[in-house]
Amino acid sequence: MASAQTRFQVNKVAVLGAGVMGAQIAAHLVNVKVPVVLFDLPAKEGPKNGIVTRAVEGLKKLKPAPLGVPDDAALIVQANYEEHMDLLKDCDLIIEAIAERMDWKLDLYKKIAPFVAPHTIVASNTSGLSITKLSEALPEAIKPRFCGIHFFNPPRYMYLVELINTPTTDAHILDDLETFVTSGLGKGVVRAHDTPNFIANRVGIAGMLATMKEVENFGLTVDVVDDLTGKKLGRASSGTFRTADVVGLDTMAHVIKTLQDNLNADTDPFYASFATPEVLKTLLDMGNLGQKTGAGFYKKVGRDILRFDLASKDYVPAGGKADEVYGRMLRKPAGERLKLLRESEGAQGQFLWAILRNSFHYAAVHLADIAETARDIDFAMRWGFGMKQGPFELWQEAGWLEVANWIKEDIKAGKTLSKAPLPDWVFKGAVAKAGGVHTAKGSWNAVTKKFQPRRVLPVYQRQHFPETVLGSEAQGFATAGKTLHETDAIRLWTLDDEVVIASLKTKMHAISPDVAEGLQMAVDLAEKSYQGVVIWSGDEPFSAGADLQAMLPAFMTVGVSAIDEAEHYLQQTMLRLRYANVPVVSAIRGLALGGGCEMAIHSARRVAAMESYVGLVEVGVGLVPGAGGLTYIARRAAENSAASTDKDLLKFVTEGFTAAAMAKVGTSAIESRKIGYLLDSDLIVPNKDELLFVALNEAKAMYTAGYRPPHRRQFPVAGRNGKATIQGQLVNMRDGGFISQHDFHIASLIAGVVTGGDVDTNTMVTEEYLMTLERRAFCSLLTHPKTQERIMGMLSTGKPVRN
């Protein structure tokens, strides 16, 4: 009998170096439940682990938070190179993340070599040093298991990880590591060639330098440039210079220096544009390194934002905006957009065309050197630099040959940063014939001169609808599978004839009466012919809540009775999900707020992506949760109290009350579990693209195990005495000026529902009884002028009104 193939298992990881990146990589490993040992040098004074201890303590204070919950910092095992080298022997993966000094790294490799187990993968997290040169310091036995792994900062949130091989790296090592990084760490992997700064930083930093050069050419200010190169351009909202401030100008200077030191005019025809810009040099000399020092390209003074002015070497008021004509141009279809920018006479339009043209030019010239395929460059720029489209995607969408000829004309006219011609494959052969580098067969490999499909690894079978590049013609989820029922609000469909998938189609996946009707139909269909229901809408958010705008017309014409009816129907929908005879699984990614949270908590199981933000936030618009959220809090409090040795029901009620009254949102799936919106039995999935796969399997497993819905039980409430206790605390908060009178009124209504109204302590109630109290509170607030102010403020500005 053939033996089963052994799987590379990562039971423990060592991270070498407790600096900014090393500590945060360790934190992310903890988030995904991978045991980790964090090493650094022994401290010269005090406890030997002092350096690591300070780094681990620092993780609790960092923003954005590297840890799902700060307490998990305790799970990072602390170690130093003097006392704990033996701990390396148990590690399946060693990630070296010390400072970017070749000599230090090589010295460390010699030290660790005797302690590396025969199966262990060793990877260097470097942003640009040669992986091949690093590998030369390793013993022959370790070389085949050595490669580069480049996380982007901050590692918890940045999706991109670049893997880099050496001539001696075994192919299966990279496959094993790609599998772990994809499924275990939840990342998008791109394989880069061993060239300076790899793919994303090579193209991205070259792009930032090119942008700074064009800023000088066209005489624009940093605030106007950021307005032009942010969301309007389909890039990160922070634009160019604010992004540099966030990254750190010293970090940016280091990446630039790597390009300057390791390239020259022969190896990179754009080398002349890699000089450190005068403005960056000046800021570095001043010690203004960006956000971490409180000043960089921008500086905040009180409430005012100032921008750096190179001419005066001082900060002046910021707030300059792009000319609206260019905002309108950028909303046009790709081909028309680029043509208008190229032909525009204003500096801002010419600047935009120049930076886009430069990005196309650079990517095409360097494709063969830095990446296997054009897809790798586009994914690297999307995942590492927050672009909606990579350079090749935009070029292809705009019309491949037409844009190529525009670039060719600009090169001839001396307008480009380099005289290097576009490669021949741009104009003739398979790419020209296909109209671009991305096709249904795959993406262009400039070395093999073929369209290369995505790498086939078993881990990718877990991704039903992975991210794709424009032109790949992959089927999207919106038309996949077999449609069972579809309206403008919801699509019910199946991939496998076993589970019904309910995909919301409303804006922000808000829950309207039509969505509620569709969810009830999904349960009806599943109970008759399928094994379960999975609520999954394909992209973020899971659901931003009930659709207030859909309810307003009925409220204006019929009055509050129409809202009472709509809320009652919504509540009945939630109970239908909870008591369905087949499992209902909510697959959560992104926001699950208000009604979205209520939909999730009434499901039989939740499968959540790591970056899921769950909470009952209705108080922000002056309302209370009205679709069973408060009923859930009261019921869970009774269940938790019954399961605990501490039988003080009010204590458990107060926890849930506080979360709802303060609109507390879990800032990760892990924290949402701590608050109580996710349970220990729920699953947290690191990779967003595996969410549907896991949710479908969970529904099928529950069905196969003989799923039955919970009994409709009565449960005890804290009663009027419990409400009086909570209200006493609210009075103190109001009288102390911590909450407004209207906040006090809303919180009192929440307290009244979660404690069960005017009844004795431990009175047994039903969910329907509490839902009636919820509806009454909800409807009474809708007629309140201050709540109406909050609702209209949110609908018009998207920001909460405090009144």
Side-chain angles (χ1 to χ4, degrees):
M1 191 172 122
S3 64
Q5 188 180 355
T6 54
R7 190 173 77 238
F8 175 65
Q9 294 189 51
V10 179
N11 299 312
K12 191 189 285 185
V13 175
V15 177
L16 311 181
V20 175
M21 282 304 282
Q24 290 197 65
I25 291 167
H28 187 61
L29 286 159
V30 164
N31 290 337
V32 295
K33 292 189 171 179
V34 176
V36 60
V37 188
L38 181 60
F39 278 84
D40 211 303
L41 295 164
K44 288 175 181 165
E45 293 174 10
K48 288 276 173 77
N49 281 343
I51 294 171
V52 177
T53 303
R54 280 192 295 278
V56 171
E57 284 304 305
L59 290 170
K60 299 177 189 177
K61 301 169 197 146
L62 271 182
K63 296 286 178 211
L67 290 156
V69 287
D71 293 352
D72 281 356
L75 299 173
I76 298 172
V77 175
Q78 301 180 19
N80 65 76
Y81 304 126
E82 191 177 293
E83 301 174 303
H84 305 118
M85 294 295 263
D86 276 347
L87 292 178
L88 291 173
K89 292 176 180 174
D90 297 330
C91 295
D92 307 295
L93 171 63
I94 297 171
I95 299 172
E96 170 270 303
I98 68 168
E100 295 280 281
R101 282 270 304 265
M102 181 71 79
D103 53 341
W104 291 359
K105 287 179 188 278
L106 298 180
D107 182 52
L108 180 60
Y109 294 172
K110 285 176 190 148
K111 275 186 194 161
I112 67 165
F115 302 94
V116 176
H119 70 286
T120 302
I121 295 176
V122 181
S124 175
N125 179 68
T126 172
S127 58
L129 294 179
S130 167
I131 304 301
T132 303
K133 276 187 188 164
L134 287 171
S135 74
E136 287 163 8
L138 290 164
E140 291 303 314
I142 296 178
K143 279 183 185 176
R145 292 176 279 122
F146 178 77
C147 63
I149 185 169
H150 181 211
F151 288 86
F152 277 66
N153 191 16
R156 171 183 158 187
Y157 301 94
M158 294 300 287
Y159 190 58
L160 178 64
V161 169
E162 293 174 321
L163 295 184
I164 310 98
N165 68 346
T166 75
T168 53
T169 309
D170 275 353
H172 80 88
I173 290 294
L174 277 190
D175 289 349
D176 286 345
L177 193 54
E178 182 165 343
T179 297
F180 170 66
V181 170
T182 301
S183 201
L185 302 186
K187 301 300 177 189
V189 171
V190 164
R191 293 201 191 176
H193 293 328
D194 189 12
T195 56
N197 288 344
F198 313 127
I199 299 175
N201 275 344
R202 176 73 175 271
V203 177
I205 297 297
M208 286 179 97
L209 285 168
T211 299
M212 289 182 187
K213 205 162 183 60
E214 299 294 3
V215 167
E216 288 173 23
N217 292 346
F218 292 101
L220 302 176
T221 59
V222 298
D223 46 0
V224 169
V225 169
D226 278 354
D227 192 40
L228 283 168
T229 59
K231 278 191 173 170
K232 287 186 174 78
L233 200 60
R235 296 183 177 181
S237 56
S238 48
T240 301
F241 294 102
R242 202 173 297 281
T243 298
D245 274 356
V246 172
V247 168
L249 305 193
D250 52 340
T251 304
M252 189 176 165
H254 170 77
V255 180
I256 292 169
K257 193 168 185 321
T258 305
L259 290 178
Q260 292 167 346
D261 292 351
N262 293 288
L263 294 168
N264 54 48
D266 295 330
T267 54
D268 193 319
F270 293 79
Y271 187 74
S273 62
F274 292 165
T276 306
E278 192 60 37
V279 64
L280 182 58
K281 214 182 287 176
T282 305
L283 287 166
L284 290 168
D285 290 344
M286 292 168 73
N288 293 359
L289 307 181
Q291 201 166 274
K292 59 183 144 191
T293 59
F297 288 106
Y298 294 95
K299 180 180 182 180
K300 195 172 182 187
V301 179
R303 291 189 174 184
D304 298 326
I305 304 289
L306 307 179
R307 64 172 173 81
F308 186 68
D309 176 62
L310 182 61
S312 64
K313 292 188 172 48
D314 203 357
Y315 288 87
V316 298
K321 295 284 179 195
D323 190 323
E324 183 45 39
V325 68
Y326 300 109
R328 287 197 295 274
M329 280 184 193
L330 291 171
R331 289 194 287 273
K332 302 276 187 191
E336 192 182 341
R337 185 191 325 157
L338 295 191
K339 189 172 192 294
L340 285 168
L341 291 173
R342 185 168 189 262
E343 293 172 359
S344 69
E345 292 179 3
Q348 294 179 23
Q350 284 292 305
F351 161 77
L352 283 170
W353 161 249
I355 64 169
L356 291 170
R357 174 204 63 215
N358 294 342
S359 72
F360 304 153
H361 189 190
Y362 194 84
V365 167
H366 286 295
L367 174 57
D369 314 333
I370 66 174
E372 278 184 11
T373 70
R375 178 180 48 247
D376 294 325
I377 288 182
D378 281 348
F379 275 155
M381 298 315 294
R382 272 161 53 171
W383 299 343
F385 278 80
M387 294 184 178
K388 276 190 181 164
Q389 284 183 306
F392 287 120
E393 289 180 288
L394 175 57
W395 179 354
Q396 183 163 333
E397 188 185 3
W400 183 263
L401 283 175
E402 186 173 30
V403 173
N405 283 315
W406 290 342
I407 301 168
K408 188 178 179 180
E409 285 169 26
D410 280 10
I411 295 169
K412 197 175 174 185
K415 292 179 179 178
T416 53
L417 295 177
S418 165
K419 292 175 184 169
L422 289 171
D424 285 347
W425 56 259
V426 169
F427 295 99
K428 54 193 179 190
V431 171
K433 193 175 169 189
V437 288
H438 303 306
T439 69
K441 289 184 199 168
S443 293
W444 186 247
N445 182 320
V447 175
T448 63
K449 301 283 191 280
K450 287 178 183 167
F451 292 110
Q452 186 172 309
R454 281 190 85 170
R455 190 169 288 102
V456 179
L457 291 175
V459 68
Y460 292 122
Q461 300 304 307
R462 296 168 60 88
Q463 299 183 359
H464 286 303
F465 302 99
E467 274 194 64
T468 56
V469 283
L470 178 124
S472 63
E473 296 175 31
Q475 187 175 27
F477 66 88
T479 54
K482 180 169 79 182
T483 300
L484 307 173
H485 171 78
E486 188 165 15
T487 66
D488 289 342
I490 194 167
R491 179 181 180 230
L492 307 181
W493 56 292
T494 182
L495 261 181
D496 53 14
D497 281 325
E498 293 180 331
V499 177
V500 176
I501 303 168
S503 296
L504 281 59
K505 294 167 59 182
T506 48
K507 187 180 179 186
M508 297 292 282
H509 302 142
I511 304 167
S512 63
D514 289 346
V515 167
E517 189 181 335
L519 290 171
Q520 294 214 35
M521 187 182 290
V523 173
D524 290 343
L525 283 167
E527 286 181 338
K528 280 179 195 154
S529 313
Y530 297 89
Q531 296 182 15
V533 175
V534 165
I535 304 171
W536 177 83
S537 300
D539 49 16
E540 294 187 30
F542 174 69
S543 171
D547 190 347
L548 278 175
Q549 277 178 305
M551 292 184 184
L552 284 178
F555 176 54
M556 303 304 281
T557 51
V558 181
V560 80
S561 63
I563 299 297
D564 185 81
E565 203 175 299
E567 280 298 300
H568 187 247
Y569 186 65
L570 209 46
Q571 290 175 341
Q572 293 308 305
T573 301
M574 299 305 173
L575 292 176
R576 185 81 182 92
L577 299 180
R578 175 164 163 74
Y579 294 109
N581 286 317
V582 290
V584 176
V585 176
S586 277
I588 305 167
R589 174 182 158 203
L591 304 176
L593 304 178
C597 174
E598 288 167 317
M599 183 162 64
I601 58 185
H602 282 89
S603 300
R605 186 68 42 92
R606 286 137 298 276
V607 173
M610 177 65 71
E611 297 310 320
S612 297
Y613 306 91
V614 188
L616 297 168
V617 296
E618 286 82 352
V619 296
V621 287
L623 293 168
V624 299
L630 300 182
T631 301
Y632 168 83
I633 285 170
R635 175 173 59 75
R636 283 295 299 159
E639 289 166 358
N640 288 337
S641 172
S644 171
T645 52
D646 183 349
K647 298 300 178 191
D648 179 7
L649 175 57
L650 184 59
K651 179 183 158 189
F652 294 99
V653 170
T654 306
E655 286 174 11
F657 161 80
T658 305
M662 292 177 66
K664 196 167 183 189
V665 175
T667 55
S668 66
I670 303 167
E671 193 184 10
S672 299
R673 181 182 267 162
K674 204 170 180 186
I675 295 170
Y677 296 134
L678 297 182
L679 307 181
D680 286 343
S681 54
D682 294 331
L683 303 176
I684 296 176
V685 180
N687 195 308
K688 62 185 174 56
D689 289 337
E690 294 185 6
L691 198 59
L692 180 60
F693 173 86
V694 175
L696 290 171
N697 278 319
E698 189 65 9
K700 287 186 262 193
M702 291 169 79
Y703 176 86
T704 306
Y707 177 80
R708 301 291 298 176
H711 286 293
R712 290 177 181 257
R713 294 180 188 276
Q714 291 191 334
F715 49 89
V717 288
R720 65 178 77 85
N721 290 345
K723 184 191 174 186
T725 304
I726 294 173
Q727 197 132 15
Q729 294 164 348
L730 292 174
V731 168
N732 292 337
M733 291 178 75
R734 181 196 62 194
D735 294 350
F738 297 105
I739 58 173
S740 70
Q741 177 59 37
H742 195 48
D743 290 328
F744 172 79
H745 176 56
I746 298 165
S748 298
L749 289 173
I750 292 173
V753 178
V754 297
T755 55
D758 189 16
V759 296
D760 294 335
T761 301
N762 288 328
T763 296
M764 303 297 283
V765 300
T766 63
E767 286 168 297
E768 285 85 351
Y769 164 78
L770 287 176
M771 283 180 168
T772 303
L773 298 184
E774 245 184 65
R775 274 202 322 281
R776 278 188 206 148
F778 186 92
C779 291
S780 74
L781 282 167
L782 258 188
T783 59
H784 198 295
K786 287 199 177 287
T787 284
Q788 289 175 357
E789 272 177 38
R790 289 191 185 188
I791 292 172
M792 295 319 291
M794 180 63 83
L795 290 177
S796 58
T797 68
K799 291 176 182 171
V801 173
R802 298 262 52 93
N803 58 0

